[in-house]
Amino acid sequence: MGEAAQMLTGNCAYHVDVEEMNEREALALLKSKLSSKVLHTEAEAAELVKTVDYMPLAISQVATNISINYPRLTIPKAIEKLKTPTQETNQLLEISLHETSRDIQRSNSIVKTWHLSFQYVRETSPSAAKLLSLMCLFHRQGIPEALLAGHYGEEAKTSEEIATLQPRLTWWRQIRRRRLRLRRRKRTTEPKAVAQEIKSDFEHDWRVLTDFTLIRTRIDGRQFDMHRLVQHTTRRWLELNGELKAWMKKYVAVISRSFPAPEEHDNWAVCQYLFPHAQQAVTYRPEEAPALQSWGLLIQQVSWTAYTIGRYALAEELGRTSLKALEDTMDERSVVMLSALHQFGLVLEPLKYHRETETLFRRAFEGRVVVLGPHHIDTLTSAHQLGMTLNRQGKHEEGLAIYMRVVEGYERTFGPGSEETQSMLSGLAFSYTADGQYEQAEIFHRRADVVRKEQFGEESEDNQRLRGLALLLGMQGKFQEAEEIHRRVVETARNRSGLCSTETVKSINFLGEALAKQGKLEEAVELYGPVVDGYNDFDVKTREVALSCMQTLAEVLLEQGELEKAENIARQLIARREALIGADHVETLVSVHTLADILSQQKRYDEALVSYERAYVGTDLVCGAEHPDTKEFLNDFNHAKNHMLSWCGDSRVSSLDVKESGYVAAPPAMLAFQSPVPILI
């Protein structure tokens, strides 16, 4: 459109931008098109026009369809179909219904209208059509240029399809192909020229799609958005022309090449940024075995990313999908398959599926014994996880036997006095501590201590192991002895690394918890002060630990009755956790629940109920309904509803739409506070 305007006027100063329809205008158009018999609320109408992005033709078509098919088709049902496109959505958007204000020979179907645009773009600018074909498979918001330029230029056809086309080429096309191949060879010796050409081609194709308003460019100029209807109709066009599967295969290849290993901490920011786009690949399951295997490995990485950011229910769903694909294409005893079994076991751990987790770790362990040998580090890692799972189910005798096997393996592989063996012994002690097996935990702690002293001397001290011993003592009720050890650890960490180190902040957090358990609340508050004040000076890893300190501090202040201070800390905590790990992360939701407790103590029940609901709804989505935290948060939420109703009295109850216990929950989308998470490069 911009080029057409320039050709007509010859001067950009004469161009007049036609602004998009705003919400008020869109609602007015909707009401003029809807039949009077269609019952709806103002909120539903606003949601509908927002869903179609205030597009006049889309509003008109959807409103007409609703009016004709009401009450079988209502506004809420139309919104649902538009947000999650299906075959029914195609019918909703493709049926052309005549309006008196439009030429009868012109189509009133938004899909057909866009399809004409796609066809024109394909005929006049084939490479721009290819760019659009790839873009429509991404998550519709924040499509990065880096994953587009240079990835869409080749034909999205399989080698078999290309082979069948070759004999049909005329002689002049064959000559042209040979010339193109020679040019490509020349270009490979000039990488800078290639990059400039790709950049130039992309700029041209971007301009074509922008002129047709098929995409929008964000202010940074490097990310793009597509409206969900443009995305849906483009996919529909590819499906009708038999090209969708080929482009899906290309998309999976692009994401697979670009998605980094989420196990490495340095890749977290990139993984979180690409996560919505990688999730799209889940629905693009290929059929051929080699492609299916690559797809399964990609989904495995996406599952691990979901696990890393605390979205455990999604991680489980993706993990099952990935494992099924790998089981269909790989040998049970392949190294990659065994690694997948182990990783899926880790994904299920937070959900407490102990029996299934045991099966997965046992399969990984037994397979690795055969493939890698009994003393390989991966074999021992699977054995360690298997031992923990057995202990959690009360199978302590078998768990201990597995653990002793792990210790023996570490001693043979790394040596009895090695740092690796000491870490393993401490890890076993932590595991037994967590399972309440304090006597066994103490045995492994003492064994680790003996090994350390034999290796480094009587005066050597290891903060991590000392913390483990202090925690164990605290769990046994030996609070004074535990506090003394924690103080020693904090002092050592301060002297070695200063306040801004992760080690120091972690030690302070443990000491503060030990003080709180003894009722030394004022001392705990004083201890946490420098951590809260110095938050902005910490690196990302240390900030995560500092937020744990703030969580404990908020709880201590709540227990002290310092409700105003507790609220201030809790709100800081939520804001910082939303910025650092995301609004839907489990730890963020725990902070929201703490704020709800504080507000409830202040008798601000309306506000408390919103926070209780956000904590419950979010945890249910992330962890599932059977997770202990979900059950606890649901119980607190219901208790708060009943409390508020009894406090408000009959006059307030009448103003609430009765739903179960009488409170109408706000939509989860409003409660989740989907604030964008900054990319931490």
Side-chain angles (χ1 to χ4, degrees), residues 32-61:
S32 70
K33 299 295 182 181
L34 275 179
S35 169
S36 59
K37 66 183 179 182
V38 178
L39 300 178
H40 63 279
T41 65
E42 291 296 324
E44 289 171 343
E47 182 67 17
L48 177 61
V49 297
K50 181 181 178 182
T51 302
V52 297
D53 213 16
Y54 312 117
M55 291 182 176
L57 182 56
I59 294 170
S60 178
Q61 185 179 350

Side-chain angles (χ1 to χ4, degrees), residues 197-208:
E197 184 174 346
I198 290 174
K199 181 69 173 176
S200 176
D201 291 344
F202 179 80
E203 292 296 335
H204 169 267
D205 298 335
W206 164 80
R207 194 157 47 247
V208 170

Side-chain angles (χ1 to χ4, degrees), residues 139-424:
H139 184 275
R140 67 186 189 87
Q141 294 181 326
I143 304 172
E145 179 186 339
L147 269 62
L148 297 172
H151 294 294
Y152 65 92
E154 299 176 2
E155 290 291 340
K157 296 181 179 293
T158 63
S159 56
E160 291 79 11
E161 289 174 321
I162 293 174
T164 58
L165 291 174
Q166 286 292 353
R168 302 179 187 175
L169 295 176
T170 58
W171 64 271
W172 61 268
R173 285 184 177 175
Q174 293 177 16
I175 292 174
R176 185 182 177 194
R177 286 285 178 86
R178 282 197 291 270
R179 288 174 179 171
L180 288 173
R181 283 197 295 271
L182 288 172
R183 289 177 187 172
R184 290 194 190 103
R185 289 175 188 171
K186 183 178 180 181
R187 287 172 188 163
T188 56
T189 63
E190 302 172 359
K192 291 185 179 180
V194 174
Q196 291 173 356
E197 184 174 346
I198 290 174
K199 181 69 173 176
S200 176
D201 291 344
F202 179 80
E203 292 296 335
H204 169 267
D205 298 335
W206 164 80
R207 194 157 47 247
V208 170
L209 299 183
T210 301
D211 284 345
F212 277 87
T213 64
L214 296 172
I215 62 172
R216 294 176 180 171
T217 305
R218 293 192 175 185
I219 194 67
D220 61 5
R222 293 293 177 264
Q223 297 182 83
F224 314 100
D225 297 333
M226 292 183 73
H227 187 273
R228 58 168 55 90
L229 298 184
V230 175
Q231 186 182 54
H232 170 66
T233 50
T234 306
R235 291 181 187 175
R236 178 66 172 155
W237 190 92
L238 292 174
E239 183 181 8
L240 292 173
N241 286 272
E243 297 181 14
L244 184 59
K245 287 186 177 180
W247 279 105
M248 284 179 174
K249 186 176 179 181
K250 179 180 281 290
Y251 179 83
V252 171
V254 169
I255 297 296
S256 296
R257 287 195 298 267
S258 307
F259 201 80
E263 308 89 59
E264 299 177 17
H265 189 275
D266 292 344
N267 292 335
W268 284 6
V270 178
C271 288
Q272 285 182 280
Y273 174 58
L274 296 180
F275 184 63
H277 304 297
Q279 273 188 274
Q280 294 294 108
V282 177
T283 58
Y284 306 153
R285 189 181 195 274
E287 298 174 357
E288 308 87 358
L292 181 59
Q293 186 178 119
S294 299
W295 177 82
L297 292 172
L298 171 62
I299 305 307
Q300 181 188 24
Q301 288 188 308
V302 182
S303 170
W304 190 250
T305 303
Y307 168 82
T308 302
I309 62 179
R311 298 183 62 182
Y312 301 127
L314 177 60
E316 177 199 355
E317 179 185 347
L318 296 174
R320 292 191 188 282
T321 301
S322 168
L323 194 63
K324 179 65 170 61
L326 296 178
E327 286 177 331
D328 290 344
T329 57
M330 301 183 89
D331 179 24
E332 169 79 13
R333 291 294 170 86
S334 70
V335 173
V336 176
M337 186 67 220
L338 295 171
S339 176
L341 291 169
H342 180 88
Q343 181 173 303
F344 188 47
L346 294 175
V347 166
L348 294 184
E349 274 193 326
L351 300 173
K352 303 188 184 303
Y353 298 160
H354 298 313
R355 290 185 180 179
E356 188 176 3
T357 304
E358 177 190 341
T359 301
L360 290 164
F361 285 136
R362 195 180 294 278
R363 286 172 63 189
F365 168 61
E366 292 174 352
R368 283 173 164 176
V369 168
V370 175
V371 177
L372 303 174
H375 301 124
H376 191 280
I377 185 62
D378 289 346
T379 307
L380 298 174
T381 301
S382 291
H384 187 194
Q385 293 296 333
L386 175 59
M388 283 197 295
T389 303
L390 290 168
N391 270 355
R392 286 169 185 159
Q393 298 176 81
K395 302 177 182 179
H396 301 299
E397 186 175 345
E398 186 181 0
L400 179 59
I402 291 289
Y403 277 152
M404 296 311 298
R405 189 168 178 173
V406 173
V407 173
E408 179 188 353
Y410 266 74
E411 288 178 342
R412 290 188 58 175
T413 303
F414 301 105
S418 67
E419 184 67 24
E420 291 81 3
T421 301
Q422 292 178 59
S423 295
M424 173 53 62

Side-chain angles (χ1 to χ4, degrees), residues 71-92:
R72 292 182 61 82
L73 179 62
T74 62
I75 287 183
K77 288 181 180 178
I79 293 171
E80 182 181 354
K81 290 178 180 181
L82 291 167
K83 285 187 174 181
T84 55
T86 62
Q87 190 63 37
E88 292 183 354
T89 311
N90 298 334
Q91 297 172 1
L92 180 67

Side-chain angles (χ1 to χ4, degrees), residues 503-633:
E503 184 70 19
T504 302
V505 176
K506 187 184 297 183
S507 303
I508 289 173
N509 188 37
F510 282 116
L511 174 57
E513 290 178 352
L515 292 170
K517 286 177 181 177
Q518 297 177 77
K520 301 179 180 180
L521 303 182
E522 292 184 4
E523 197 173 347
V525 171
E526 185 179 352
L527 176 70
Y528 284 131
V531 175
V532 176
D533 295 339
Y535 179 85
N536 292 328
D537 298 327
F538 300 153
D539 60 24
V540 173
K541 189 175 180 181
T542 308
R543 286 182 179 185
E544 293 179 8
V545 182
L547 291 175
S548 297
C549 292
M550 291 182 67
Q551 176 71 45
T552 308
L553 176 57
E555 294 167 358
V556 168
L557 289 169
L558 173 60
E559 189 173 347
Q560 272 188 313
E562 297 280 356
L563 300 182
E564 187 175 341
K565 293 180 181 178
E567 180 186 351
N568 181 42
I569 292 296
R571 292 192 182 281
Q572 284 187 60
L573 175 62
I574 292 170
R576 287 172 174 178
R577 275 186 165 160
E578 284 179 341
L580 193 64
I581 58 179
D584 296 329
H585 195 283
V586 173
E587 292 181 7
T588 305
L589 297 171
V590 170
S591 306
V592 172
H593 187 268
T594 301
L595 175 61
D597 288 338
I598 296 167
L599 295 171
S600 181
Q601 287 293 314
Q602 294 174 305
K603 297 185 179 181
R604 292 157 62 184
Y605 296 119
D606 285 354
E607 297 175 70
L609 199 57
V610 172
S611 293
Y612 275 128
E613 184 170 17
R614 179 186 170 188
Y616 158 62
V617 172
T619 307
D620 186 26
L621 290 172
V622 173
C623 301
E626 296 304 314
H627 193 276
D629 287 351
T630 305
K631 293 180 179 179
E632 179 187 343
F633 289 1

